[in-house]
Amino acid sequence: GNSVLNHLAQPASFGLYSKAMVESGGYVGAVPLQQANANFLQVLNLTGCGDVRCLVNVSALPLVDVFFRLAQAQWAPTIDGIALSAFPQKLIASGQYNHRVPVLLGSNRDEAALFLAPPAYLANLTEARFEEQFNHSPYRDDIAHIKRLYAPSVYDYPSDLGNFSRWWWELMRAGTEGGTNNVAGQLAVGLGHCS
């Protein structure tokens, strides 16, 4: 999904497609240049390399290990001021995108479950921990509203929640529909990909 958002926001791509379908495009889809440079320096340090010529000779398995050791493990297009001038979501929100193509936007039901599965998040997530997840997000002032939107009395959940608490399910559904925004400067995606 974020690949498509990037193409919608990069003028050099505009003539290369006639339609766009964004599936799962609510997460961070670009990296500020400063962060990309910091990641590169950290990769050099962790591999013992001094330049790109050395990195080309590092086998894949050590590079995978390095990726998981990065402070901000994010691989995405870089906001370099040339090909990409800002976060794709920001460019689209301000009307700076390819208006000439139809766009279909959506997500898979429960796709955030992959990222919220234990041990990353406890299956028995409590209401207090649910609220903590929003304290540093663009939605921090909307926690009560989010809880109303995803309350079991108004939102459809499976009859058997398995080994997961109601609050885990609510966080997972809000995450699926609202995306994640963990890079400073990225606009928050509205609750529900289509909002």
Side-chain angles (χ1 to χ4, degrees):
N2 276 310
S3 298
V4 177
L5 285 179
N6 275 282
H7 284 295
L8 283 169
Q10 294 184 30
S13 295
F14 286 8
L16 303 176
Y17 56 93
S18 59
K19 298 177 180 112
M21 186 167 79
V22 181
E23 188 284 321
S24 181
Y27 59 94
V28 177
V31 178
L33 185 59
Q34 183 178 0
Q35 181 184 334
N37 284 333
N39 283 349
F40 176 68
L41 293 175
Q42 194 174 8
V43 167
L44 289 177
N45 181 51
L46 292 170
T47 58
C49 285
D51 57 28
V52 173
R53 275 182 251 152
C54 174
L55 281 177
V56 170
N57 295 312
V58 176
S59 66
L61 288 177
L63 286 176
V64 169
D65 179 57
V66 164
F67 174 78
F68 288 108
R69 294 169 52 201
L70 291 176
Q72 294 244 346
Q74 173 91 33
W75 298 112
T78 299
I79 301 170
D80 61 1
I82 299 167
L84 188 60
S85 60
F87 286 103
Q89 292 90 336
K90 184 175 185 176
L91 292 168
I92 291 167
S94 66
Q96 300 174 61
Y97 66 97
N98 188 353
H99 294 272
R100 297 177 303 217
V101 298
V103 177
L104 177 64
L105 183 65
S107 67
N108 290 314
R109 182 81 179 240
D110 301 341
E111 91 180 68
L114 172 66
F115 306 102
L116 298 179
Y121 287 83
L122 298 176
N124 63 349
L125 190 78
T126 63
E127 183 176 8
R129 292 287 309 219
F130 173 90
E131 291 178 2
E132 285 175 22
Q133 301 307 308
F134 294 99
N135 285 340
H136 301 289
S137 81
Y139 307 122
R140 67 185 156 277
D141 297 328
D142 300 315
I143 295 171
H145 181 66
I146 292 168
K147 288 167 69 174
R148 284 192 303 275
L149 284 173
Y150 291 95
S153 61
V154 296
Y155 194 93
D156 187 35
Y157 293 96
S159 57
D160 180 1
L161 300 181
N163 294 325
F164 297 91
S165 71
R166 161 200 170 171
W167 297 106
W168 181 90
W169 275 92
E170 289 191 32
L171 180 64
M172 187 269 300
R173 290 280 170 92
T176 294
E177 296 179 0
T180 59
N181 305 291
N182 56 6
V183 172
Q186 182 198 16
L187 289 181
V189 177
L191 281 175
H193 281 334
C194 297
S195 59

